[in-house]
Amino acid sequence: MGFSWPASHSVNFVSAHDGFTLYDLVSYNFKHNDANGEGGNDGSNDNLSWNCGYEGETNDSFIKALRSRQMKNFHLALMISLGTPMMLMGDEYAHTRYGNNNSYGHDTALNHFQWGLLEGRRSNHFRFFKEVIKFRQTSHVFSRDTFLNKNDVTWHEDNWDNYDSKFLAFTFHDKSGGGIYLAFNAHDYFIEVSIPSPPPNTRWFRVVDTNLESPDDFVRGGVPGIGSNYNVAPYSSILLEAKK
């Protein structure tokens, strides 16, 4: 008889102590390690990052909004993944090391927890991160400790062989009669999607739309009135919850 490891044995993460912070992952294409005294030769050159159109700090409101969306997208993807989520300290307030991906030797603000930045972002960035964590903790769908089987998820996808496709949508089914619909749009244009019918005697409520500003990006009780279609914004994600 085969043996299956519980889902909690899988550790999921976007950022870690080595490499870019979450903010730097969406703000830098290249490492900036000159302060480490090794001529920029230390640290990985392969960071799988995208600066959203400008390298480093900027006052461009469009780029800043895009970076904010991207951080929320990453956090949502992490928190809906089965297994044990691991977060890097400071990502909850968008800590930056200014592109330094090997900062272990610095006893400075590069590595210190910045309480002032946390307070300044408590009502928006931090709020979203906190609320998504709470949602994960209280949702029946994400409390399971077994990996998904074919009856637990419906993939709303018929484009698996198209390597240019950057859109993914699926529904997690809840054995108690509910469900969670998620869509991630990594294209640079809107995608109008057909929303599947909710389970019997339920209707869809919008809990997350990362394209919206705080506090509308996360609404704990959900926003009713979801129709048969939803226009998912570029570089954004949505979460709908089915309930009575």
Side-chain angles (χ1 to χ4, degrees), residues 69 167 185-193 209 211-212 230-236:
R69 290 205 305 278
F167 182 85
N185 181 18
H187 288 287
D188 59 0
Y189 50 82
F190 280 86
I191 292 184
E192 186 174 0
V193 295
D209 186 336
N211 184 54
L212 302 177
Y230 197 102
N231 212 15
V232 184
Y235 304 111
S236 73

Side-chain angles (χ1 to χ4, degrees), residues 162-179:
N162 181 0
Y163 292 103
D164 293 326
S165 177
K166 299 178 181 179
F167 182 85
L168 185 66
F170 50 95
T171 298
F172 285 143
H173 303 296
D174 186 349
K175 293 180 180 179
S176 65

Side-chain angles (χ1 to χ4, degrees), residues 10-18 75 78-79 83-89 91 136:
S10 170
V11 177
N12 307 314
F13 61 95
V14 176
S15 55
H17 61 284
D18 287 326
H75 184 61
L78 175 62
M79 288 301 152
T84 302
M86 184 186 81
M87 284 182 60
L88 175 64
M89 179 190 76
D91 282 349
R136 173 192 171 91

